[in-house]
Amino acid sequence: MSAKFQPFTTEYEFDTGKLNPEGRVIVRKLSHMKEMYLDQKAVEERVEEDPLIYEVYNVELPETMAHIQHCTTILYPGKIGNEYFMTKGHYHEILDRAEIYFCLKGKGQLIMQTKEGDFKKLEMVPGTIAYVAPEWAHRTVNTGDEPFIFFAAYPGDAGHDYGGIETEGFVKLSVEENGEQKLIDNPRYQKV
Amino acid sequence: MSAKFQPFTTEYEFDTGKLNPEGRVIVRKLSHMKEMYLDQKAVEERVEEDPLIYEVYNVELPETMAHIQHCTTILYPGKIGNEYFMTKGHYHEILDRAEIYFCLKGKGQLIMQTKEGDFKKLEMVPGTIAYVAPEWAHRTVNTGDEPFIFFAAYPGDAGHDYGGIETEGFVKLSVEENGEQKLIDNPRYQKV
Ligand SMILES: [Mn+2]
Ligand SMILES: [Mn+2]
């Protein structure tokens, strides 16, 4: 056998959204993303309990453009104040790299923006394949009552830039008002 | 709004494996791949009927490395002689490009080989995520009784090289012998 990178399989568990083997697991609790929620009083009230917001199961691969990174995300249902549980969101370190999200369970939103201030929201239910076009920062939001689970694939060399979007903030926030989901302007958003 | 490539969604239909919108559809019947089956007498007997072997629904995207190509394949059940219905198989035009297959329905095999003659077979059932490592030619085989359906994602610039594998032939063929699936050596295989 040659010294080439070998093919292999990973099993996706339809019930839980987890991978087997688990790969590199990222666990994000409220304490890891306190500053991202608008209602800081609600954050303070919940941070001791420190709810689990989301988990990512990553197949481990070299970070070169020959490869396709892939992972599943389990985003739990809940709110901090009236803002839905969400992922941190990021640009790709190599900005010009796309990503695919394939929703397998639950429901939610994919919110995206560019450095120029464009904003876009896509609704996701099982079977929705959402295309994060190159140059768009992306965050998912669980607007349902059960875990929102999706499979993602992106170019091997894309990388993650969390700092850029942390500085800007997202243009809009997804909140519940009078029992209904709404997007509101983020008063802390600032174009860099 | 800036002139950037815009995000969008495609709906995957869990029952049929089709996409909505359908995108670019590839339809492969026996007449499109006559030479690939070993039993040429069986091919001649079936080619008038010209059974549908597989369909691919492709989301249309630019062929650059910023993008992630994605598609679903519906590979029908059946045999030509004792050889299972299969895809043509290909290397990527840029050889050093991987691919992910996510099985959603049915069962089958992913057979792969390198130009050096390495061979590898992976079994796929719903939930199996198979990783076609860079430099491996790849073909799928339906070894079950229902459509074998999988979602695929690969780098935008990968391209398809069908000619290389057509000249070589696959190292092994997947056939049914006495009601059981077997891999047999392909007498027509020749390392280029
Ligand atoms: Mn990403
Ligand atoms: Mn391919």
Side-chain angles (χ1 to χ4, degrees), chain B residues 89-92 97-101 132 136-138 152-154 158-162:
Chain B
H90 58 267
Y91 286 103
H92 287 153
R97 291 290 182 271
E99 183 157 351
I100 301 167
Y101 281 174
V132 179
W136 292 75
H138 37 293
Y154 54 99
H160 294 84
D161 167 17
Y162 291 100

Side-chain angles (χ1 to χ4, degrees), chain A residues 149-166:
Chain A
I149 301 174
F150 55 90
F151 174 77
Y154 53 99
D157 64 348
H160 293 83
D161 167 17
Y162 291 101
I165 195 74
E166 256 180 79

Side-chain angles (χ1 to χ4, degrees), chain A residues 113-132:
Chain A
Q113 74 191 43
T114 67
K115 300 213 175 192
E116 289 75 20
D118 300 312
F119 178 84
K120 183 128 186 177
K121 182 255 307 175
L122 296 172
E123 298 287 339
M124 293 177 72
V125 294
T128 304
I129 303 169
Y131 193 67
V132 179

